[in-house]
């Protein structure tokens, strides 16, 4: 197998390549990207830019994240650091509440866990931030107060969510519907949307350093609304929350180190699949070939089987991560891949609705992700605050004895995963692809595009994608071609060609090559990458 030689010609692309020396930023929303550049031009660093973009995204892309999100970060400052900003389930919500229920509900208070994004912003800034914390909130506050034109892809997501959220009838949903579906409809593309309450809350978080959100007035507002409307979130839950520094996990793929967050996230799936794929010489096949796609899909399928069986809050995991990442185990799993799709992948027994953003400068590189999960999240908004709470509790299973079974004060399985690349101990850069279970699949495809097919970051994001769903069901983008769909079907895959961009993720990449920053943003979103 050839050793990774990233982007032999990093400047060739079907789209404009964004290059710079001093700094680069990329998000799924142009206004959020500009918030990051505003910080860099003010003398801030990549961490300042990343936090400003994360805060701005709660305003300009509320369909995917909000003040009540969870968040994770990977930060390079000479070594790679991981931050787990996900919250735990409510202490007073016991498993008995789910008696007779097959799966976690999507809406309302039951799937709400403690929101951790605010703690992640503060924790990362305390370690690396250069500008005043309050300054990082200025663009987002401006957008929320003055209003902004809703972008096209965001408007489509807003419209798709309309029926689900407007049909919720409990008192806990009324404030949410009034804010996000005024006049019982979603705003159209180009329509100005504003939220003064959101701006006021961001200003309070900024001036209190996040303290109000977990132990002050905002915490009291959340706890009181929960008590009034049948929720379980308490002041004790909020005060007990903290973001945790963790050790990132990685694997070597043809000389490139690919880094992910450890459990409770699904980042492990990307690494397991890459270990399996490493035994195949994908580069000898054309990129849009059944031979290449088939092997990638099957490797991902086997990885998901293991991750969905074993991954949980690390305090509850029974299978050590290093055993799942063992290359010998990967070789054993690889033997299961033949020329016909595996009908239903089973876990092995080894022996022995999100926003993603990236930022870089001369010293720091940041991979950051935050999410409200399914759609807008739980549909619960704390009145007069703009705080829309996520529904990350959906990540729990109710299967008895499973390590990820619901329990109080426990972190759920998380789909959101920031990624990072290094080579020989040198940072290559942050990357990520949003989209629930599409995220590790998007990470896998991005790495394969960069390494096996020598694509530059923009081309790696532009390329056609597949999305494994379950069993043998696979979505395929139309740009992959009719012939490829036919040949994959002959391999036993149940292929559905689908043009809906939300099925295939939305990503950003910033890579450094020869001291030049190459920034790219997803063509399936409204995104923007900038560098200077």
């Amino acid at each position: 197998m050839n050793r990774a030689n990233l982007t032999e010609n990093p400047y060739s692309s079907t789209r404009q390549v964004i290059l710079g020396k001093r700094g680069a930023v990329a998000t799924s929303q142009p206004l959020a990207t500009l918030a990051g550049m505003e910080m860099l031009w003010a003398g801030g660093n990549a961490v300042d830019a990343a936090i400003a973009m994360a805060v701005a995204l709660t305003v300009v892309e509320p369909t995917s994240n909000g003040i009540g999100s969870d968040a994770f970060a990977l930060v390079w400052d000479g070594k790679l650091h991981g931050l787990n900003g996900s919250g735990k389930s409510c202490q007073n919500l016991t498993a008995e509440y789910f008696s007779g229920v097959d799966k976690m509900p999507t809406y309302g208070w039951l799937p709400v866990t403690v929101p951790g994004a605010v703690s992640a912003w503060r924790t990362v800034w305390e370690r690396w931030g250069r500008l005043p914390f309050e300054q990082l909130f200025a663009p987002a506050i401006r957008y929320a107060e003055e209003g902004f034109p809703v972008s096209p892809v965001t408007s489509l997501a807003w419209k798709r969510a309309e029926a689900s959220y407007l049909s919720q009838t409990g008192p806990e949903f009324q404030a949410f519907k009034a804010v996000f579906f005024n006049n019982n409809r979603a705003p159209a593309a180009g329509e100005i949307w504003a939220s003064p309450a959101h701006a006021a809350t961001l200003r309070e978080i900024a001036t209190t350093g996040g303290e109000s959100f977990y132990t002050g007035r905002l915490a009291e507002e959340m706890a009181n609304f929960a008590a009034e409307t049948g929720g379980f979130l308490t002041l004790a839950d909020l005060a007990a929350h903290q973001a945790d520094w963790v050790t990132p996990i990685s694997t070597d793929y043809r000389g490139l180190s690919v880094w992910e967050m450890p459990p409770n996230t699904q980042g492990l799936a990307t690494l397991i699949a890459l270990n399996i794929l490493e035994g195949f010489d994908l580069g000898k096949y054309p990129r849009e070939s059944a031979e290449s796609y088939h092997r990638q899909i099957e490797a991902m399928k086997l990885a998901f089987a293991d991750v969905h069986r074993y991954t949980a809050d690390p305090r509850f995991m029974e299978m050590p991560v290093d055993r799942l990442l063992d290359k010998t185990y990967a070789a054993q799993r690889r033997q299961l891949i033949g020329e016909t799709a595996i009908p239903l992948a089973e876990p092995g027994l080894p022996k022995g609705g999100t926003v993603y953003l990236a930022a870089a400068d001369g010293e720091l590189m940041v991979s950051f992700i935050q999410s409200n999960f399914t759609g807008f999240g739980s549909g619960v908004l704390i009145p007069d605050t703009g705080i829309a709470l996520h529904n990350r509790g959906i990540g729990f299973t109710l299967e008895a004895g499973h390590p990820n079974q619901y329990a109080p004060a426990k972190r759920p399985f998380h789909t959101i995963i920031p990624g990072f690349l290094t080579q020989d101990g040198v940072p290559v850069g942050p990357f990520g692809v949003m989209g629930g279970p599409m995220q590790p699949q998007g990470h896998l495809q991005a790495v394969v595009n960069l390494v096996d097919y020598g694509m530059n970051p923009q081309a790696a994001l532009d390329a056609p994608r597949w999305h494994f769903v379950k069993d043998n069901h696979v979505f395929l983008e139309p740009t992959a071609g009719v012939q490829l769909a036919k040949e994959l079907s002959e391999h036993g895959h149940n292929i559905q060609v689908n043009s809906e961009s939300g099925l295939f993720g939305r990503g950003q990449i910033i890579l450094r090559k020869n001291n030049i920053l190459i920034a790219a943003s997803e063509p399936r979103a409204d995104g923007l990458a900038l560098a200077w």
Side-chain angles (χ1 to χ4, degrees), residues 149-171:
V150 176
S151 55
V153 175
T154 297
S155 74
L156 290 175
W158 217 315
K159 183 65 178 178
R160 284 196 296 265
E162 197 175 72
S164 296
Y165 288 96
L166 286 176
S167 65
Q168 305 303 317
T169 58

Side-chain angles (χ1 to χ4, degrees), residues 146-501:
E146 298 177 4
F148 66 94
V150 176
S151 55
V153 175
T154 297
S155 74
L156 290 175
W158 217 315
K159 183 65 178 178
R160 284 196 296 265
E162 197 175 72
S164 296
Y165 288 96
L166 286 176
S167 65
Q168 305 303 317
T169 58
E172 67 271 33
F173 301 111
Q174 301 314 307
F176 183 94
K177 292 193 290 186
V179 169
F180 292 112
F181 298 96
N182 190 25
N183 298 320
N184 292 317
R185 67 171 182 85
E191 188 172 341
I192 301 298
W193 187 84
S195 177
H198 194 121
T201 292
L202 290 179
R203 187 173 283 110
E204 185 166 338
I205 291 170
T207 57
T208 66
E211 182 179 349
S212 178
F213 193 86
Y214 294 104
T215 60
R217 189 191 71 84
L218 292 172
E220 291 175 357
E221 293 286 337
M222 287 185 273
N224 289 341
F225 188 62
E228 293 166 4
T229 57
F232 302 88
L233 189 65
T234 66
L235 282 172
D237 291 321
L238 291 160
H241 173 77
Q242 68 174 26
D244 293 331
W245 294 108
V246 296
T247 303
I249 57 177
S250 69
T251 195
D252 180 274
Y253 184 71
R254 313 197 202 285
L256 182 72
S257 294
V258 182
W259 296 85
E260 300 281 354
M261 290 292 296
N264 53 315
T265 80
Q266 65 175 338
L268 184 60
T270 302
L271 306 183
I272 293 173
L274 287 172
N275 281 346
I276 294 171
L277 270 185
E278 194 174 32
F280 299 114
D281 187 2
L282 291 187
K284 74 179 183 181
Y285 305 115
R287 190 196 175 278
E288 265 64 68
S289 67
E291 291 82 1
S292 180
Y293 274 51
H294 171 68
R295 285 159 177 78
Q296 293 177 58
I297 293 166
E298 295 298 281
M300 196 74 247
K301 188 186 299 183
L302 291 168
F304 270 139
D306 281 345
V307 165
H308 291 160
R309 172 62 184 85
Y310 300 121
T311 301
D313 183 321
R315 297 174 300 156
F316 296 83
M317 282 185 64
E318 302 161 353
M319 185 64 66
V321 169
D322 58 355
R323 292 180 65 187
L324 291 167
L325 288 180
D326 184 81
K327 297 273 189 170
T328 302
Y329 174 58
Q332 295 168 2
R333 299 289 273 169
R334 192 179 304 123
Q335 298 306 310
L336 299 174
I337 299 177
E339 292 304 311
T340 303
I342 302 168
L344 180 63
E346 297 291 342
L349 292 172
K351 297 175 174 60
T354 302
V355 294
Y356 173 78
L357 60 97
D361 60 29
E363 299 176 354
L364 300 171
M365 303 184 95
V366 185
S367 186
F368 196 99
I369 196 163
Q370 63 188 24
S371 170
N372 269 8
F373 205 28
T374 301
F376 280 86
S378 65
V380 177
L381 181 141
I382 312 305
D384 303 318
T385 68
I387 301 173
L389 297 172
H390 63 53
N391 52 5
R392 298 302 322 188
I394 296 173
F396 285 116
T397 181
L398 298 179
E399 178 186 340
H402 194 287
N404 186 44
Q405 181 184 4
Y406 177 83
K410 181 179 181 180
R411 282 179 163 137
F413 174 87
H414 253 277
T415 57
I416 59 176
I417 49 173
F420 202 88
L421 304 173
T422 65
Q423 191 166 36
D424 300 326
V426 176
V428 177
F431 76 107
V433 177
M434 304 164 266
M438 182 63 204
Q439 292 184 55
Q441 304 184 60
H443 282 208
L444 176 82
Q445 292 173 70
V447 171
V448 165
N449 290 344
L450 292 168
V451 175
D452 293 291
Y453 295 104
M455 293 180 169
N456 69 59
Q458 190 61 61
L461 291 176
D462 290 351
R465 289 188 186 141
W466 50 266
H467 177 170
F468 165 69
V469 184
K470 64 177 182 178
D471 301 337
N472 283 341
H473 296 276
V474 178
F475 289 122
L476 190 67
E477 284 193 296
T479 49
V482 174
Q483 183 61 29
L484 178 56
K486 178 177 181 295
E487 291 176 3
L488 284 171
S489 296
E490 292 171 354
H491 280 273
H493 299 283
N494 183 355
I495 299 296
Q496 180 180 341
V497 177
N498 196 306
S499 60
E500 186 180 325
S501 62

Side-chain angles (χ1 to χ4, degrees), residues 48-59:
D48 296 316
I51 297 170
M53 293 189 294
V55 178
L57 282 164
T58 71
V59 180

